[in-house]
Amino acid sequence: MKIVVIGGTGLIGSKLVKKLRDEGQEVVAAAPATGVNSITGEGLAGALKGASVSIDVTNSPSWEDTAVMKFFETSTRHQLKYGAAAGVKHHIALSVVGTDRLLESGFFRAKLAQEDLVKASSIPYSIVRATQFFEFVKSIADLSTEGNKVRLPPVLIQPMAADDVASALAGIAIGSPVNGTVEIGGPEQFRLDELVRRDLVARKDPREVISDPHARYYGIEVSERTLVPNDDARLGETRFEDWLTQSAAQIPNQGVRRVGDSS
Ligand SMILES: NC(=O)c1ccc[n+]([C@@H]2O[C@H](COP(=O)([O-])OP(=O)(O)OC[C@H]3O[C@@H](n4cnc5c(N)ncnc54)[C@H](OP(=O)(O)O)[C@@H]3O)[C@@H](O)[C@H]2O)c1
């Protein structure tokens, strides 16, 4: 089975390409670096020729409202148009849990537009909504930083490892289209402020996390369960603490600290 991973050089894409190849699938990693551009359409027809499955794990280089909408609309339209012409039988799009609850943000309006285009296309599809990646926790801190303080609301979050996102997508790619939405998440729930505090402590990042019920997540007002998946979500296995230990150990000259360790 030929599978095309569009955005195949990114965080999720590169892991997904490797997993599918390890399983013996014929995989094309499609991205600008490999001559495939979903915005201009360049290389899409060639990459998708003879493909059974296309998987969209692209992301927009800019998250500014107009730019991100233009990216996801144009990129998705091109993938669906060239996919239909090539006879693709299953298109999979990676989206975000809670997208319809986060529409105050232009980024999530663009993700919803992407989902709507996929639903309206003639290609059978699966939309996979994932919770925040462990790898994204540091970016959440960066987006909420003022001076040396990170203000975050203590709402629930159920993040997952990028590796588990890729495994879930690989499983869905070799199955039948659900023609609907599947949610995936991590094995544990956290409070957002506590999660970010643990991440920063492990990285020896001196920023202080302030728990503030009025603080925004990514500029958006969120409530207790905005970020958590439904009860029927498929859950990854990797625990945050284990991932932190492993990833912090990979940063040179950086041991792992845990909340409560004395420095
Ligand atoms: N961050 C989270 O916590 C989270 C949670 C749930 C879902 N998601 C979704 O997961 C998806 C993938 O995220 P990621 O972190 O893996 O993204 P990423 O690391 O930024 O990778 C994006 C990929 O898209 C490619 N790309 C960009 N412009 C392209 C174009 N014009 N044509 C073809 N490919 C293009 C990139 O290629 P280059 O490297 O060459 O630019 C790269 O391969 C996103 O849609 C995001 O919304 C994210």
Side-chain angles (χ1 to χ4, degrees):
M1 181 157 75
K2 179 176 168 182
I3 301 174
V4 181
V5 179
I6 303 156
T9 57
L11 172 65
I12 301 299
S14 53
K15 291 176 187 291
L16 178 58
V17 165
K18 181 170 186 317
K19 276 183 203 292
L20 289 167
R21 283 192 180 141
D22 288 350
E23 285 170 15
Q25 307 292 350
E26 180 191 349
V27 187
V28 175
T34 64
V36 182
N37 191 318
S38 60
I39 295 300
T40 62
E42 180 200 353
L44 271 176
L48 289 164
K49 193 170 175 210
S52 304
V53 180
S54 57
I55 312 179
D56 181 2
V57 285
T58 59
N59 209 351
S60 172
S62 164
W63 291 3
E64 184 275 321
D65 283 6
T66 311
V68 73
M69 180 63 83
K70 195 166 175 213
F71 179 89
F72 279 113
E73 282 189 340
T74 310
S75 171
T76 306
R77 281 205 174 96
H78 278 148
Q79 291 180 50
L80 295 169
K81 180 179 122 184
Y82 287 100
V88 166
K89 293 173 185 64
H90 187 186
H91 179 79
I92 301 169
L94 180 59
S95 190
V96 188
V97 161
T99 288
D100 47 322
R101 300 187 286 269
L102 295 162
L103 298 177
E104 207 183 320
S105 143
F107 181 84
F108 291 99
R109 292 196 292 276
K111 292 300 289 183
L112 195 64
Q114 175 190 20
E115 290 188 1
D116 287 344
L117 286 166
V118 170
K119 287 178 187 170
S121 106
S122 60
I123 307 177
Y125 69 92
S126 303
I127 292 169
V128 180
R129 283 186 170 182
T131 57
Q132 290 66 35
F133 312 153
F134 293 161
E135 288 79 353
F136 187 62
V137 175
K138 188 176 171 298
S139 304
I140 298 177
D142 296 345
L143 289 162
S144 303
T145 297
E146 273 175 39
N148 195 35
K149 298 204 185 332
V150 184
R151 280 183 198 280
L152 286 164
V155 297
L156 292 172
I157 185 165
Q158 199 171 328
M160 66 189 299
D163 223 27
D164 287 343
V165 177
S167 297
L169 287 171
I172 289 164
I174 55 167
S176 302
V178 297
N179 292 315
T181 302
V182 173
E183 290 198 338
I184 59 175
E188 305 163 285
Q189 287 188 355
F190 298 87
R191 296 279 164 188
L192 178 58
D193 55 334
E194 181 56 20
L195 178 77
V196 171
R197 192 173 290 121
R198 285 195 199 189
D199 191 83
L200 295 184
V201 167
R203 296 175 193 289
K204 296 185 176 170
D205 186 315
R207 284 177 287 175
E208 182 190 0
V209 177
I210 311 281
S211 177
D212 176 354
H214 301 296
R216 293 181 156 234
Y217 162 75
Y218 192 51
I220 312 165
E221 199 175 320
V222 284
S223 56
E224 180 82 346
R225 302 192 64 80
T226 302
L227 303 175
V228 296
N230 295 328
D231 290 343
D232 60 358
R234 302 179 189 180
L235 304 185
E237 288 179 355
T238 312
R239 300 175 87 82
F240 183 63
E241 208 61 40
D242 296 335
W243 174 86
L244 253 190
T245 307
Q246 257 186 356
S247 61
Q250 283 164 11
I251 302 171
N253 304 320
Q254 183 163 354
V256 181
R257 277 179 66 202
R258 289 166 194 280
V259 175
D261 282 359
S262 53
S263 46

